[in-house]
Amino acid sequence: MQKYKRWTASLAVTGVALWSLQTVSANASPGLLLLNVVSPKGEISVTKDLSYGSEVDQNLDVYYPKALAKAIRNNQSPKADYPLVIFVHGGSWENGNKEQYAFVGQSLAKAGYVTAVINYRKAPKFIYPAFVKDTAQAIAWSYHNADKFYADANKVAVIGHSAGAFNAVAAVSNADFLQPYGLQPSDIKAVVGIAGPYSYDFRKFSTRGVFPETASPEQVMPDGLLKAGSSGKQPDYLLMTAENDKVVHLSNTTKMAQALTKGGATVVTEEIEKANHATSIAAMSTSLTWVNSVRPQLINYLQQKLQ
């Protein structure tokens, strides 16, 4: 009976979390905190609040797979060969934080990836390109310190959702963002954007305040700013869209994929069936995999690219 009560309570919390997420748009939701309540924590470990820069919100949390965490606790010396994933959260560049997306770090660590979930500076105090520069700095810091977390710098992927997908794609596809930190696009194996707004006229939307007043879409949207760097190569890209997304239009992915392909990148586009904008990331929680297939789709791609 006690086991049944715990199960029904967990199911109720999961239902509330899912309902909360389905009622919001691109902004971070209290429902995200509920997701962290129902995400399993006993199988992974986390190191919190590591600074990748000296400014406010330039920090991240690193999640470790169960086997790695156990080896570290037992004073063993694991090989630094775990794949490394860096996750960039959404929230219209104004909201959200790494704590609200702990469930993503837990989910990816459970799948066998050392995972960094990052914070970055946000509008209105910090506007473009501050949040993209922060993303690039966090990627570079994670890359250069990979061995300290028993990860392999040759097996690095960057994942972002919504505004975070914009950050991730913008930071990696344009060498100008990574170059100050000693990296170029080809140093990253793969980039995954989930429901990202890569190509739209921000001046017509509420997000116009996060970009410079005098800027045009051509000056800030990543589909028009590709630069491969000295190697002349881009990483591979997976651009995912939610079937029922009412927040970010499909054209963003279409235009970004076209630009990347023209730039010589290998690009895969996938639709997440039955997903809306919020649940396209919510179902990364191992408690919500029944909602849609984003988690198996994403992990299948990472397994192919980070071998």
Side-chain angles (χ1 to χ4, degrees), residues 11-94:
L11 184 62
V13 173
T14 301
V16 171
L18 180 58
W19 176 84
S20 299
L21 280 162
Q22 287 177 327
T23 59
V24 300
S25 60
N27 292 340
S29 162
L32 292 171
L33 297 178
L34 289 174
L35 283 180
N36 295 320
V37 171
V38 300
S39 294
K41 298 177 183 178
E43 299 186 13
I44 54 93
S45 296
V46 59
T47 302
K48 297 186 67 65
D49 301 323
L50 296 169
S51 296
Y52 64 81
S54 58
E55 300 294 328
V56 62
D57 284 335
Q58 290 183 332
N59 53 29
L60 54 82
D61 298 337
V62 177
Y63 294 81
Y64 307 90
K66 180 180 180 180
L68 175 57
K70 182 178 180 181
I72 295 171
R73 284 196 298 269
N74 291 338
N75 295 315
Q76 298 173 0
S77 299
K79 287 181 65 178
D81 61 358
Y82 279 80
L84 172 64
V85 173
I86 298 124
F87 177 75
V88 192
H89 72 78
S92 300
W93 301 284
E94 297 178 281

Side-chain angles (χ1 to χ4, degrees), residues 8-258:
T8 53
S10 176
L11 184 62
V13 173
T14 301
V16 171
L18 180 58
W19 176 84
S20 299
L21 280 162
Q22 287 177 327
T23 59
V24 300
S25 60
N27 292 340
S29 162
L32 292 171
L33 297 178
L34 289 174
L35 283 180
N36 295 320
V37 171
V38 300
S39 294
K41 298 177 183 178
E43 299 186 13
I44 54 93
S45 296
V46 59
T47 302
K48 297 186 67 65
D49 301 323
L50 296 169
S51 296
Y52 64 81
S54 58
E55 300 294 328
V56 62
D57 284 335
Q58 290 183 332
N59 53 29
L60 54 82
D61 298 337
V62 177
Y63 294 81
Y64 307 90
K66 180 180 180 180
L68 175 57
K70 182 178 180 181
I72 295 171
R73 284 196 298 269
N74 291 338
N75 295 315
Q76 298 173 0
S77 299
K79 287 181 65 178
D81 61 358
Y82 279 80
L84 172 64
V85 173
I86 298 124
F87 177 75
V88 192
H89 72 78
S92 300
W93 301 284
E94 297 178 281
N95 304 285
N97 57 60
K98 58 184 175 62
E99 283 74 23
Q100 290 176 316
Y101 292 83
F103 70 94
V104 178
Q106 295 161 9
S107 178
L108 290 168
K110 186 177 181 182
Y113 300 94
V114 173
T115 305
V117 179
I118 77 166
N119 273 336
Y120 53 88
R121 292 173 295 172
K122 299 173 185 69
K125 187 174 182 179
F126 299 99
I127 63 171
Y128 178 91
F131 38 78
V132 179
K133 288 183 176 180
D134 283 2
T135 301
Q137 188 171 355
I139 292 169
W141 185 93
S142 301
Y143 178 96
H144 292 307
N145 288 281
D147 62 330
K148 295 181 178 63
F149 309 112
Y150 304 96
D152 185 348
N154 294 311
K155 302 176 183 178
V156 177
V158 182
I159 302 171
H161 173 254
S162 191
F166 174 102
N167 289 8
V169 171
V172 178
S173 65
N174 184 343
D176 287 348
F177 286 112
L178 289 175
Q179 188 276 329
Y181 308 108
L183 286 187
Q184 57 182 323
S186 60
D187 289 321
I188 306 302
K189 283 291 183 183
V191 179
V192 180
I194 306 171
Y198 320 107
S199 181
Y200 77 108
D201 190 346
F202 62 88
R203 298 169 298 187
K204 299 177 181 179
F205 296 88
S206 59
T207 50
R208 59 184 173 272
V210 308
F211 298 100
E213 278 188 43
T214 59
S216 66
E218 292 76 19
Q219 294 172 307
V220 298
M221 290 294 134
D223 67 323
L225 298 175
L226 269 64
K227 185 178 292 187
S230 59
S231 73
K233 296 179 180 180
Q234 288 279 352
D236 293 345
Y237 289 82
L238 169 62
L239 303 181
M240 307 179 79
T241 57
E243 179 183 19
N244 302 314
D245 198 331
K246 305 300 181 185
V247 178
V248 175
H249 195 272
L250 174 63
S251 61
N252 286 273
T253 291
T254 302
K255 292 177 181 178
M256 192 71 234
Q258 290 173 344

